[in-house]
Amino acid sequence: MVLDVSCPNFSQGSSWQSFSYIEPQPTHPCEPLMEEDPNPDSPKLYDLLQAATQKLYPSSSLSQLALVSRMLNIKMENNMSQRGYNQMMQLLKEDLPEDNMVLDSYYQTKKLVRSLGLPVEKIDCCESGCMFYWGDDEHLTYCTFCGHERYKRRVSSRKRKLVPYKKMYYFPLIPRLQRLYASPATAADMRWHHEHTKEDGVIRHPSDSEAWKHFNESHHFFVVEPRNVRLRLCTEGFQTFSQFGSKYSSWPVIVTPYNLPPGMCMKEAYMFLTIILPGPTNPKHKIDVFLQPLIKELTLLWETGVEVFDISKKQNFQLRAALMWTISDFPAYSTLSGWSTVGNLAYPYCMEETQSFRLKHGRKTSWFDCHRMFLDQNHPFRRDRKNFRKGKTVQRSSPPYRTEAELLNQICDLGIRKVTELDANEVNRRLCKSCGWKRKTSFGICLIGVLT
Ligand SMILES: [Zn+2]
């Protein structure tokens, strides 16, 4: 959760105007500093926060929101039932002074948390992961690809609630980015990547890297607003119920803003859990089905942006965001990019021009000589027969740079456009073994395009 309820700036004041904020400084000496009223949604947030951060009773050290957040944490960690939660809160309410503000039911607690505007969406999925019931398909009751039913059949007719075979959780990204600028604790730090002093030859933060500078040179419309957000995405499977023995695997997708200083951007509070992919198995090529809501939000943030109130400057501005990197291990890299990371073509830098060979005794594929292609033509390692692959020299130059358009054409020529069009076995049969692409994905062009 981005919002720090223990922050003194959020526990005082009666509206957005009374929240303390860092004195705005113009980014250029000639730039006039214009203060604005927040957009219509922001005052509601501050009013709700003000109501929630009131003391439980006059001499209490806890606010209503602090108690709620700690009790929800206790409920989750101990797998407490709603009935048990209600009984605990009712006992607490009886024991405290009469004018206390304890919420004595789980329903009221959820209502308070929901009103703070950080929603979670539960989206029903096909049991096989072919599609999910969202957008135009929200009212379907059968999978349009495999024909599987959406809901379980209930033996008892008393219970009217329909139970889906599978569902995923999605935590929208835009409200969280808006909170980063609504909180005085983080709003000014979101410009750190632009305002910090850079030292030549030292990389302390991704903003010091060549990839960041190349992005700035390529997208001027994005760079003119330093408050625009640069994101990275991370995903990996994990055993939900135990480390060993359990076969159930879930895939969380975590998005992190890189605008913040090094000491903040890798903290747990700023790693936004965005999607929890349901198990029990690795989604593999069907991961794109589950990424659709995130892709939709990222597209909106890139193309048009959303209006956000920056409390550190007291200004409304159009916030855009760009996904700069993905972080994963090599198997997950294949899942995200669509490029196979097994076999002779696993090395994504060289693609089809790889110099891989099979070890004589180990019978494993090795890319030992690939890196020598990237050296200068006169480098002594190219002619070294003793310390590298025995008796081999490397004369060829490195593979050419491939543009995004070339890669896109290469994938489109394969004839695969939908992840649900073919199952994994049919994909393998249909594609020739000399091609590493296995499908067209949302991130494939970005990942390989940046690498090559
Ligand atoms: Zn299906």
Side-chain angles (χ1 to χ4, degrees), residues 126 128 130 143 145-148:
C126 169
S128 303
C130 311
C143 174
F145 296 96
C146 70
H148 197 280

Side-chain angles (χ1 to χ4, degrees), residues 425-451:
N425 294 330
E426 198 168 346
V427 168
N428 289 332
R429 280 199 300 273
R430 185 168 165 173
L431 296 178
C432 60
K433 291 186 177 178
S434 62
C435 176
W437 289 114
K438 296 302 176 190
R439 67 183 206 280
K440 182 181 177 183
T441 71
S442 309
F443 299 130
I445 306 299
C446 308
L447 291 176
I448 307 292
V450 169
L451 284 172

Side-chain angles (χ1 to χ4, degrees), residues 161-176:
K161 189 176 179 183
L162 297 169
V163 179
Y165 277 96
K166 187 185 276 191
K167 61 184 175 183
M168 63 166 269
Y169 290 86
Y170 179 64
F171 304 86
L173 178 64
I174 291 174
R176 299 173 181 209

Side-chain angles (χ1 to χ4, degrees), residues 1-6 118 173 175-177 179-180 183 185-186 190 232 254-257 260 262-274:
M1 191 174 179
V2 173
L3 217 54
D4 183 3
V5 294
S6 62
L118 293 173
L173 178 64
R176 299 173 181 209
L177 296 181
R179 292 296 179 276
L180 288 174
S183 168
T186 53
M190 289 296 287
R232 72 113 162 109
I254 296 170
V255 176
T256 306
L260 296 165
M264 292 176 71
C265 67
M266 298 310 293
K267 288 278 177 65
E268 189 180 348
Y270 305 104
M271 294 184 181
F272 302 150
L273 177 63
T274 307

